Amino acid sequence: MSVMTDTTPGTRAPRPTGGLSQSVTDSLVIAKRNLIRMARIPEMVIFGLIQPIMFVVLFTYVFGGSIQVGGSTSAAAYREFLMAGIFAQTVTFATAGAGAGIADDMHKGLIDRFRSLPMARGAVLTGRTLADLVQTALTLVVLAIVALVVGWRVHENIGKVLAGFLLLLLLGYAFSWIGALIGLSVRTPEAATSGGLIWLFPLTFISNAFVDANQMPAFLRHIAEWNPFSATVQACRELFGNLPPGFQASDAWPMQNPVLASVLWSLLILVVFRTLAVRKYRSASV
């Protein structure tokens, strides 16, 4: 029996999947594809900017001067106290968009096309989350400019300020993997959007983002103090120099060591949900 081999010029055998270099290359290709898509649909970015800008304006001018922080009801003090919370809320709310995007690709059959290609299994999700990270970074830049316009100021050196924004991006990237898992687990983009927002509201509001957690009832205060979101907010306030005069952080470990707590929480969320999302992607492709 003879074995026939295809020697037609221009045909190639599928590349073997696996290997770090291929995974990185494939992830960057997918990220580029998603960034090009975002550039061609600018309303995706524009609408993503409207909500955080509205939060900045509304909280600054509606609630500023009526909420007590550090024993003061000064509008200027609350404005600086508020901005770290708005920044953190913005990067976490991007989770819903990440989930909706992946669910949309699933619904249109694009993910099935990617599965048929000889590429690293986790590259599709990694590329998507990297593209979302770039969009989140651009949103933070615009939001910071708006915050400066309404009177927000930083009182630390540039190194600490950049460290604060890096913590925000790390938190946003970690949460984007939660969105990826949600997007793979639902049938429609609408369900992914709803599923991505339902749990975000209690997460962000039962925290120190908008009010001093020390003023909450005891059971809510403990939740807020150990909330991963609160750790990043508190860390950013310290790194930006935005803690109000007379403000006393609670004795809870995350509030006494917010930078370390923020990094640990973000890395834990990233490892756990990336593992679950990639596993979900692989099991769905069997």
Side-chain angles (χ1 to χ4, degrees), residues 12-18 22-23 26 113-121 123:
R12 297 181 180 178
R15 294 176 300 164
T17 58
Q22 181 188 341
S23 180
D26 292 343
R113 297 180 188 177
F114 285 139
R115 287 172 181 158
S116 66
L117 299 176
M119 62 190 303
R121 289 299 187 187

